Amino acid sequence: DFDARVQARGLDEPLPTFVVHDRDDRQTPYADAKAFASAVNAEFLGTEGLGHRKVLRDPDVIKRVVDFVSGDREEMEVAG
């Protein structure tokens, strides 16, 4: 079994990682996604109203992902 949290502990420097998760995701609890992001030292974007799949085609989320991948990152943590 692969566990990214375990793998991340073995790195000298964290890999840039971006986690997007919606509060209305019924498959994975929001708190679990936040805990995962924290464990792997990832930037985190929390959304609301998109559920498990709509988050993948939301224009604002897509822009933030493109910004992350292109290196044009700002602090992405969403309070809550």
Side-chain angles (χ1 to χ4, degrees):
D1 290 314
F2 178 80
D3 187 334
R5 295 169 296 185
V6 172
Q7 299 300 318
R9 282 186 230 133
L11 298 175
D12 292 331
E13 293 184 32
L15 295 173
T17 305
F18 182 40
V19 175
V20 179
H21 195 76
D22 191 81
R23 286 187 180 276
D24 298 327
D25 185 331
R26 292 182 288 170
Q27 293 182 343
T28 304
Y30 189 80
D32 288 356
K34 286 204 62 148
F36 171 78
S38 178
V40 298
N41 198 30
E43 294 186 48
F44 183 84
L45 173 63
T47 61
E48 290 190 37
L50 299 174
H52 188 74
R53 296 187 189 244
K54 290 180 189 173
V55 72
L56 297 173
R57 56 183 186 264
D58 179 80
D60 293 330
V61 170
I62 292 168
K63 180 186 181 326
R64 298 291 289 275
V65 170
V66 169
D67 288 347
F68 180 85
V69 171
S70 69
D72 187 17
R73 301 191 294 266
E74 296 177 17
E75 181 61 36
M76 295 188 178
E77 178 70 30
V78 174

